[in-house]
C-alpha cells in the first residue's frame, strides 16, 4: 500500500494533522502503538485529568460550599471507584470519537509500533504480525513520556506518574508530589479535595515557575487554603518504597537540612520528555538533539526532506492545542498552502480552582527584554458575578505597551478563566490595544467583566468598580 502521508502517533497532533491532510485530498494512514487512538491527551492526559478534576470539584463544593448556599446534605461520601469508572467512560467515548473521525475521513488505521526502514518505508510491528507500508511524506507525532530519573525508583505502584495516579481507586491518606508544575497542582488538587494530605516538593522558590510570578503567588494562597502543604526550594534526594507505602527524603536547597515524609504514594511530576524510542530514526537519516527533541525548521520539516515532526516530540510548549495547530500546519503546507502559527499567543491554562490562564508575555519577560509596559489589574472579589458564586479568589492582569497601548500579556487567576482567556487571545491576534478592550461592551454579570475592568485600569486607572 502506498500513501501520500503516513502519520506516526494518534495524539492531538497526529490525528488532527491526519484529518486535515485527508480533507485536503491526500491518501492518509495513521499508526498508533496502543489499541486506542487519542494519544496522551485523550487516554492519560488532558481529558481524564479534567474528568477527575470536575468530579472532585463537585464533591469539594458539596462539602465546603453548599451549606453557605443554603443547601444541607447529610451522608456525603466520595466514591473514587465510581469517579475513576466515569473518567474511563469519558476517555473511552472520546477515543471512539477519534476512531469514527478517522473512518469518516477515510484514513487507514494501523495498530503497532512504527519504525523507519528508510525515509519512505515504515515497518509496523503489531502484537502478532508485521507489515510495511510505503509513503511519500511522513509526519512524526510520537509525543512525550514523564521524566522519571533513576533515583526516584519509579515502580508504578507506590512511586508513580500521572498515568498511574489517574487510576487510584482508594483515596490515599497521604501523597507526596514532586514538582509544583501543572500536573502536580492539578492532580494534587484532585486528591486534596477528596481528603488526601498532599505535600508538594518544588525545587524552585515558587509554583508554576514558568508562568507570571504573581499568578503563582495567588494560586499558592488558594491551594494552601485547600490544605496542600508546600516545600518550596526543596528537592528530593531519594525515595524508598514498599508494597504499601513509600518514604521520600526531602532536602532544602543550598543546605544540608533534610527530612523524610512517609506517604501512600510519591507522584513524580517534574516534566515530560520527547518520545522517540523504537522509531529507528537513524534508518531515515534522522537524529535527536541534546534534549531528545526532533529538530525541525520553520515549516516543521526535519533535516530529511519529506519527514515532518509536530507536537510534544519537537521544541516548544507541551500542549495539546499547540500540537493540533502544528498538525494542521503541516497538512496545509504539504497541500501547497502558506499556513502560520503565532507561537507568541499560545494560551496556557492550569485547571486548579481557581483556574490560572495566561497568554503573551509575563511581567518577568517584559522586564528582562527592557520593554516599557503598564499594568492594569482587577480583583475578582470586586466583581458582582464572582460574589454571587462565592468564587472571589484571584485577579486579572493586563500588561500593555506604555507607548502604543498594545496588549502584550494577560494573566488570570480566578473562576472559569480557562474560558475567559480566549477573549484576550482573540484580541491579541488582532493586535488590539488595552483601550480597544476597555471599550468593548461585556455582558453583565459575567466573569469577563473583570478583564474589561483590568483593561480600564491599564488605560488611565479608570476601572469602575475598584
Ligand atoms: P501524544 O498525545 O503524546 O501522542 C503520541 C502518540 O504516539 C501516543 O499515542 C503514542 O502511543 C504514539 N506513539 C509513540 N511512538 C510510536 C510509535 N513508534 N509507533 C506508533 N505510535 C507511537 N495539554 C493541554 O493542552 N491541556 C491540558 O489540560 C493537558 N493536560 C494534561 C494532563 C496530563 C496528566 C498530561 C500527562 C498531559 C497533559 N497535557 C495537556 C499535555 C498534552 O497531553 C500533550 O501536550 C499532547 O498530548 C501532545 O500531543 P502529541 O500529539 O504531540 O503527542
Ligand atoms: P512542569 O514543567 O509543568 O512542572 C515541573 C515542575 O517540577 C517545575 O515546577 C519544576 O521546577 C519542578 N521540578 C523539576 N525537577 C524537580 C525536582 N527534582 N525536584 C522538585 N521539583 C522539580 O511539568 P509537569 O507538571 O510534569 O507537566 C509536564 C507537561 O505536561 C507540561 O509541560 C505541561 O505543558 C503539560 N501539561 C499541561 C497541562 C495543562 O495544560 N493544563 C496539564 C498537565 C500537563
Amino acid at each position: 500500500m502506498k500513501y501520500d502521508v503516513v502519520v506516526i502517533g494518534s495524539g492531538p497532533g497526529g490525528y488532527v494533522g491526519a484529518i486535515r491532510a485527508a480533507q485536503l485530498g491526500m491518501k492518509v494512514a495513521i499508526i498508533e502503538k496502543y489499541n486506542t487512538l487519542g494519544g496522551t491527551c485523550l487516554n492519560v492526559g488532558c481529558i481524564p485529568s479534567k474528568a477527575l478534576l470536575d468530579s472532585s470539584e463537585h464533591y469539594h463544593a458539596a462539602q465546603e460550599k453548599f451549606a453557605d448556599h443554603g443547601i444541607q446534605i447529610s451522608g456525603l461520601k466520595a466514591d473514587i471507584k465510581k469517579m475513576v469508572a466515569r473518567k474511563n467512560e469519558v476517555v473511552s467515548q472520546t477515543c471512539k470519537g477519534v476512531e469514527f473521525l478517522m473512518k469518516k475521513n477515510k484514513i487507514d488505521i494501523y495498530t503497532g509500533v512504527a519504525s523507519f526502514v528508510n525515509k519512505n518505508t515504515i515497518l509496523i510491528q503489531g502484537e502478532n504480525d508485521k507489515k510495511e507500508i510505503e509513503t511519500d511524506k511522513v509526519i512524526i507525532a510520537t509525543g512525550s513520556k514523564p521524566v522519571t530519573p533513576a533515583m526516584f525508583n519509579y515502580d508504578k505502584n507506590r512511586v508513580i506518574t500521572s498515568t498511574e495516579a489517574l487510576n487510584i481507586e482508594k483515596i490515599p491518606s497521604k501523597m507526596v508530589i514532586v514538582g509544583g508544575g501543572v500536573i502536580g497542582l492539578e492532580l494534587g488538587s484532585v486528591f486534596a479535595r477528596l481528603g488526601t494530605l498532599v505535600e508538594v516538593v518544588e525545587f524552585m522558590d515558587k509554583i508554576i515557575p514558568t508562568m507570571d510570578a504573581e499568578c503563582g503567588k495567588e494560586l499558592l494562597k488558594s491551594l494552601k487554603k485547600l490544605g496542600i502543604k508546600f516545600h518550596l526550594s526543596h528537592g528530593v534526594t531519594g525515595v524508598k518504597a514498599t508494597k504499601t507505602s513509600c518514604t521520600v527524603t526531602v532536602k532544602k536547597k543550598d543546605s544540608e537540612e533534610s527530612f523524610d515524609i512517609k506517604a501512600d504514594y510519591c507522584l513524580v511530576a517534574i516534566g515530560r520528555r520527547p518520545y522517540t524510542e523504537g522509531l529507528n530514526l537513524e534508518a531515515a537519516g534522522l537524529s535527536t538533539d541534546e534534549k531528545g527533541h526532533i529538530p525541525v525548521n520553520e515549516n516543521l520539516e526535519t533535516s530529511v526532506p519529506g519527514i515532518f515532526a509536530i507536537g510534544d516530540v519537537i521544541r516548544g510548549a507541551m500542549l495539546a492545542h499547540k500540537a493540533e495547530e502544528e498538525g494542521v500546519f503541516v497538512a496545509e503546507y504539504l497541500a501547497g498552502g502558506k499556513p502560520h502559527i503565532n507561537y507568541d499567543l499560545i494560551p496556557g491554562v492550569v485547571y486548579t480552582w481557581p483556574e490560572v490562564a495566561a497568554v503573551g508575555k509575563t511581567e518577568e519577560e517584559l522586564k528582562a527584554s527592557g520593554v516599557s509596559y503598564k499594568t492594569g489589574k482587577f480583583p475578582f472579589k470586586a466583581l458582582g458575578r464572582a460574589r454571587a458564586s462565592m468564587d472571589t479568589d484571584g485577579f486579572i492582569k493586563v500588561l500593555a505597551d506604555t507607548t502604543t497601548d498594545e496588549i502584550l500579556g494577560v494573566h488570570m487567576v480566578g473562576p472559569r478563566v480557562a474560558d475567559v482567556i480566549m477573549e484576550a487571545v482573540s484580541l491579541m491576534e488582532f493586535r488590539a490595544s488595552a483601550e480597544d478592550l476597555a471599550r468593548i461592551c461585556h455582558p453583565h454579570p459575567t466573569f469577563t467583566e473583570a478583564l474589561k475592568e483590568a483593561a480600564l485600569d491599564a488605560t488611565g486607572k479608570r476601572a469602575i468598580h475598584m
Side-chain angles (χ1 to χ4, degrees):
M1 181 67 88
K2 172 91 198 278
Y3 291 94
D4 296 323
V5 185
V6 165
V7 181
I8 306 177
S10 70
Y15 88 74
V16 170
I19 291 174
R20 189 70 190 116
Q23 283 175 344
L24 290 163
M26 293 172 231
K27 171 101 192 103
V28 185
I30 193 162
I31 311 170
E32 171 54 55
K33 70 177 196 175
Y34 292 122
N35 290 327
T36 55
L37 302 180
T40 304
C41 173
L42 271 59
N43 290 280
V44 291
C46 324
I47 300 300
S49 59
K50 267 80 256 178
L52 291 181
L53 276 156
D54 280 340
S55 299
S56 60
E57 201 177 306
H58 287 315
Y59 172 71
H60 189 251
Q63 195 171 49
E64 300 291 328
K65 296 184 183 168
F66 277 18
D68 288 331
H69 283 275
I71 306 166
Q72 303 292 339
I73 317 181
S74 59
L76 183 69
K77 234 181 118 196
D79 179 351
I80 194 171
K81 267 196 175 168
K82 170 74 188 161
M83 287 184 188
V84 170
R86 189 194 76 90
K87 178 268 294 178
N88 289 341
E89 190 51 40
V90 171
V91 167
S92 158
Q93 278 171 9
T94 316
C95 292
K96 279 187 196 137
V98 174
E99 206 175 312
F100 163 79
L101 291 173
M102 293 300 105
K103 286 183 182 143
K104 182 182 162 208
N105 286 283
K106 302 192 171 41
I107 296 164
D108 289 345
I109 303 170
Y110 291 93
T111 305
V113 176
S115 60
F116 284 97
V117 175
N118 58 52
K119 80 184 260 298
N120 298 106
T121 311
I122 310 291
L123 171 72
I124 304 156
Q125 180 68 59
E127 246 169 63
N128 305 313
D129 60 342
K130 56 179 168 183
K131 58 173 83 72
E132 285 184 7
I133 53 174
E134 296 291 317
T135 184
D136 195 17
K137 304 282 190 296
V138 180
I139 303 176
I140 304 173
T142 48
S144 63
K145 291 276 177 208
V147 173
T148 51
M151 68 123 161
F152 285 96
N153 294 314
Y154 171 51
D155 64 5
K156 301 191 181 184
N157 178 40
R158 293 292 148 180
V159 187
I160 58 175
T161 66
S162 51
T163 303
E164 294 77 37
L166 293 167
N167 285 318
I168 292 177
E169 292 203 334
K170 181 170 176 256
I171 298 171
S173 305
K174 192 158 178 172
M175 179 181 279
V176 173
I177 297 181
V178 192
V182 200
I183 292 183
L185 301 182
E186 288 187 354
L187 292 180
S189 297
V190 167
F191 290 101
R193 288 168 188 166
L194 299 179
T196 303
L197 289 170
V198 174
E199 297 200 23
V200 173
V201 181
E202 166 58 52
F203 202 63
M204 306 290 279
D205 60 359
K206 52 189 171 196
I207 57 170
I208 41 169
T210 54
M211 298 186 89
D212 190 278
E214 223 180 337
C215 291
K217 266 190 207 159
E218 186 72 13
L219 181 63
L220 186 67
K221 282 195 262 170
S222 297
L223 294 181
K224 280 182 176 170
K225 276 196 260 173
L226 178 63
I228 300 181
K229 193 170 170 186
F230 288 89
H231 304 281
L232 301 182
S233 302
H234 279 74
V236 167
T237 53
V239 186
K240 281 198 191 116
T242 66
K243 268 199 177 131
T244 52
S245 70
C246 60
T247 304
V248 184
T249 305
V250 179
K251 184 180 153 305
K252 197 172 175 194
K253 214 163 132 185
D254 305 324
S255 146
E256 288 313 304
E257 207 179 294
S258 78
F259 53 92
D260 285 349
I261 311 174
K262 193 167 179 224
D264 302 275
Y265 292 98
C266 172
L267 166 56
V268 183
I270 58 170
R272 294 177 62 86
R273 60 175 175 84
Y275 184 70
T276 53
E277 270 108 279
L279 271 177
N280 197 22
L281 290 176
E282 307 73 35
L286 282 170
S287 58
T288 54
D289 66 15
E290 68 286 353
K291 289 190 170 152
H293 294 123
I294 298 179
V296 289
N297 66 14
E298 68 283 5
N299 295 320
L300 305 178
E301 193 163 17
T302 66
S303 56
V304 177
I307 303 183
F308 294 77
I310 59 171
D312 281 11
V313 81
I314 65 166
R315 81 284 184 272
M318 287 182 161
L319 294 172
H321 40 289
K322 178 251 190 194
E324 287 183 32
E325 294 303 325
E326 290 178 338
V328 170
F329 180 102
V330 172
E332 294 187 348
Y333 179 78
L334 289 176
K338 288 193 169 36
H340 173 71
I341 297 174
N342 186 350
Y343 283 99
D344 289 336
L345 294 187
I346 292 176
V349 173
V350 188
Y351 295 83
T352 45
W353 195 263
E355 293 173 331
V356 184
V359 62
K361 302 286 181 218
T362 63
E363 283 210 51
E364 292 73 28
E365 284 168 340
L366 291 176
K367 277 184 192 134
S369 58
V371 174
S372 172
Y373 67 95
K374 52 192 180 178
T375 306
K377 217 172 139 187
F378 190 80
F380 276 103
K381 64 174 181 291
L383 192 75
R385 181 69 190 88
R387 280 201 304 276
S389 68
M390 291 176 61
D391 292 308
T392 50
D393 282 1
F395 60 81
I396 293 186
K397 179 163 79 172
V398 171
L399 307 173
D401 189 287
T402 312
T403 317
T404 65
D405 196 38
E406 180 176 354
I407 305 169
L408 303 174
V410 177
H411 305 276
M412 314 177 165
V413 181
R416 303 278 167 246
V417 295
D419 299 300
V420 177
I421 195 69
M422 256 328 287
E423 182 183 349
V425 181
S426 306
L427 286 167
M428 288 171 75
E429 278 288 1
F430 291 96
R431 302 198 60 177
S433 64
E435 182 71 29
D436 291 329
L437 166 49
R439 288 196 176 274
I440 293 172
C441 180
H442 285 65
H444 174 75
T446 59
F447 296 118
T448 66
E449 288 170 290
L451 179 57
K452 178 186 169 97
E453 292 272 13
L456 281 165
D457 190 47
T459 54
K461 301 295 160 203
R462 46 195 241 265
I464 303 292
H465 294 91
M466 192 172 64

